[in-house]
């Protein structure tokens, strides 16, 4: 049964099998293919202390070595220090607007960025040829960086994804091998780590799930790996998980790349909300804005939009509480 509520963008979906009520919304378009200055590989959203959102692939549609501000659409940093730099993730450091970490998946490294006025300098913080990429990263309050990585194969196997941690001193260590991993995030108290895993058969995703680990904040070790959410329960296991972020209430927000939606999961793994995006392929997301409650969703505009295959789109949606990353930066 589908019950319509006001405003019209909000729906209640009642699933008899689970006896759960799921709210449904439509996100608002902020940047579309007509006014976008980002390319189709827009990814790796991060937020600074002022609530400004940043993303990868600003300007040149083919360049992955650029980071730009989303809200004002201007260049933040372009990397010329390494051959073939390709950023895919960005997180700002606690208490300092001018410092951030960016993941370069071509050179298997984490770059530390320091902004001083209009100048941004970069140094290598953590690297290993054994790291698959990294694809995305989660930054703990104690300075540990957790990394996910992936390689796409028509038929997946263990080793297509991995979980690494970089210590505050930049020492890398592998924690787990999995199928193809992507989204990664910490709970607001840093006690738990969420990591997505997917597998393919004959070129089609046949499994998409999220694992939950316990985290030792003093060492960066993880333990007690358990299933947090399996999208086969929704019969949507063929739609890939991409970016993931938590809010201060412990809810986990997950992009479904190609599914044109973001889902909100409670801290105990219950599906609460489905947010439909205006564009086809949401890739990543982050909370920002003046109060840290605005969810910015980025991704390729896609096949449903004229010129969308060559541009990056951004939608917004208002949450009831701030995001984890923004809140930490205020302390």
């Amino acid at each position: 049964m589908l019950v319509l509520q006001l405003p019209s963008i909000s729906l209640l979906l009642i699933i008899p099998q689970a006896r759960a009520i799921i709210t449904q919304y439509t996100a608002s378009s902020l940047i579309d293919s007509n006014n976008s200055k980002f390319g189709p590989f827009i990814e790796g959203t991060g937020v600074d202390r002022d609530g400004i959102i940043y993303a990868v692939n600003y300007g040149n549609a083919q360049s992955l070595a650029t980071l730009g501000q989303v809200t004002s659409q201007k260049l933040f940093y372009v990397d010329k220090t390494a051959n073939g730099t390709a950023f895919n993730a960005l997180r700002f450091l606690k208490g300092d607007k001018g410092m951030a970490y960016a993941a370069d998946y071509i050179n298997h490294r984490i770059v530390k960025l320091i902004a001083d006025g209009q100048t941004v300098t970069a140094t290598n913080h953590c690297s290993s040829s054994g790291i698959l990429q990294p694809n995305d990263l989660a930054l703990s309050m104690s300075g540990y960086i957790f990394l996910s990585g992936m390689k796409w194969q028509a038929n997946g196997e263990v080793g297509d994804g991995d979980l690494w941690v970089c210590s505050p001193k930049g020492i890398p260590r592998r924690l787990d091998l999995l199928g193809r991993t992507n989204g990664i995030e910490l709970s607001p108290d840093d006690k738990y780590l969420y990591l997505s895993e997917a597998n393919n058969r004959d070129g089609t995703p046949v499994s998409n799930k999220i694992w939950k680990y316990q985290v030792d904040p003093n060492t960066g070790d993880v333990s007690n790996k358990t299933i947090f959410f399996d999208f086969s329960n929704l019969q949507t296991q063929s739609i890939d998980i991409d970016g993931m972020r938590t809010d201060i209430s412990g809810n986990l927000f997950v992009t479904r790349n190609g599914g044109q939606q973001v889902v909100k999961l409670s801290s105990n793994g219950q599906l609460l909300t489905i947010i439909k995006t205006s564009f086809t392929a949401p890739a990543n997301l982050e909370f920002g804005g003046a109060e840290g409650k605005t969810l910015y969703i980025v991704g390729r505009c896609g096949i449903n939009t004229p010129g969308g295959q060559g541009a990056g789109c951004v939608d917004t949606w208002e949450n009831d509480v701030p995001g984890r990353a923004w809140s930490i930066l205020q302390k």
Side-chain angles (χ1 to χ4, degrees):
M1 179 173 64
L2 199 63
V3 181
L4 183 65
Q5 288 187 330
L6 293 176
S8 59
I9 61 171
S10 173
L11 301 174
L12 285 181
L13 180 65
I14 303 176
I15 301 178
Q17 301 94 320
R19 296 186 180 276
I21 297 177
I22 303 167
T23 55
Q24 296 196 42
Y25 299 90
T26 299
S28 300
S29 176
L30 178 68
I31 296 173
D32 60 27
S33 59
N34 295 315
N35 63 3
S36 178
K37 295 183 181 179
F38 284 85
F41 305 108
I42 185 172
E43 251 274 20
T45 45
V47 62
D48 69 15
R49 193 173 59 199
D50 293 336
I52 297 171
I53 299 293
Y54 301 75
V56 174
N57 195 206
Y58 175 82
N60 188 324
Q62 302 304 315
S63 175
L64 297 177
T66 56
L67 300 167
Q69 288 187 13
V70 167
T71 40
S72 58
Q73 291 211 77
K74 67 179 182 180
L75 182 68
F76 173 63
Y77 175 70
V78 56
D79 192 277
K80 300 177 181 178
T81 63
N83 184 34
T85 295
F87 291 130
N88 208 58
L90 179 70
R91 294 290 183 106
F92 280 79
L93 284 165
K94 178 177 67 177
D96 194 324
K97 179 186 175 185
M99 297 175 67
Y101 290 120
D104 173 8
Y105 69 85
I106 292 294
N107 295 292
H108 311 284
R109 62 177 182 150
I110 298 295
V111 176
K112 187 173 184 178
L113 304 174
I114 301 175
D116 182 11
Q118 299 299 313
T119 303
V120 180
T121 57
T123 57
N124 285 345
H125 173 71
C126 178
S127 64
S128 171
S129 60
I131 299 172
L132 274 177
Q133 289 189 312
N135 181 286
D136 206 348
L137 60 88
L139 179 60
S140 79
M141 289 181 279
S142 54
Y144 287 94
I145 309 172
F146 296 92
L147 315 174
S148 68
M150 70 153 81
K151 59 180 177 181
W152 180 277
Q153 296 195 115
N155 292 289
E157 60 185 15
V158 173
D160 290 346
D162 57 5
L163 170 62
W164 285 69
V165 64
C166 290
S167 74
K169 293 183 179 181
I171 301 171
R173 181 162 48 96
R174 192 175 70 191
L175 299 176
D176 203 358
L177 277 176
L178 305 94
R180 178 165 52 87
T181 55
N182 196 332
I184 189 168
E185 178 62 310
L186 287 156
S187 61
D189 55 11
D190 280 11
K191 290 183 178 179
Y192 301 102
L193 178 75
Y194 301 100
L195 178 66
S196 77
E197 181 186 35
N199 279 294
N200 301 333
R201 289 292 178 270
D202 299 324
T204 299
V206 295
S207 173
N208 264 276
K209 61 185 67 173
I210 300 171
W211 294 98
K212 182 179 180 179
Y213 300 82
Q214 285 186 331
V215 178
D216 185 332
N218 298 313
T219 65
D221 290 321
V222 297
S223 61
N224 297 327
K225 178 182 177 183
T226 58
I227 284 288
F228 176 71
F229 196 86
D230 190 337
F231 282 95
S232 66
N233 295 331
L234 301 178
Q235 299 181 339
T236 59
Q237 64 269 26
S238 63
I239 302 173
D240 273 332
I241 299 166
D242 208 323
M244 302 195 302
R245 294 293 187 268
T246 51
D247 64 20
I248 62 170
S249 294
N251 301 305
L252 181 68
F253 292 75
V254 183
T255 55
R256 312 297 310 283
N257 198 327
Q260 202 165 343
Q261 64 178 217
V262 172
V263 298
K264 176 182 179 180
L265 306 172
S266 71
S267 59
N268 61 5
Q270 181 183 3
L271 177 60
L272 301 176
T273 300
I274 297 172
I275 306 164
K276 184 179 180 181
T277 58
S278 67
F279 55 92
T280 305
N284 217 311
L285 68 176
E286 184 57 279
F287 288 95
E291 298 181 343
K293 297 180 182 180
T294 302
L295 182 65
Y296 291 82
I297 308 162
V298 309
R300 186 189 299 245
C301 298
I303 59 175
N304 295 340
T305 306
Q309 290 292 73
C313 279
V314 183
D315 278 2
T316 62
W317 180 80
E318 295 302 319
N319 196 30
D320 55 345
V321 296
R324 170 188 177 272
W326 180 89
S327 298
I328 289 172
L329 294 171
Q330 307 310 306
K331 298 178 183 178

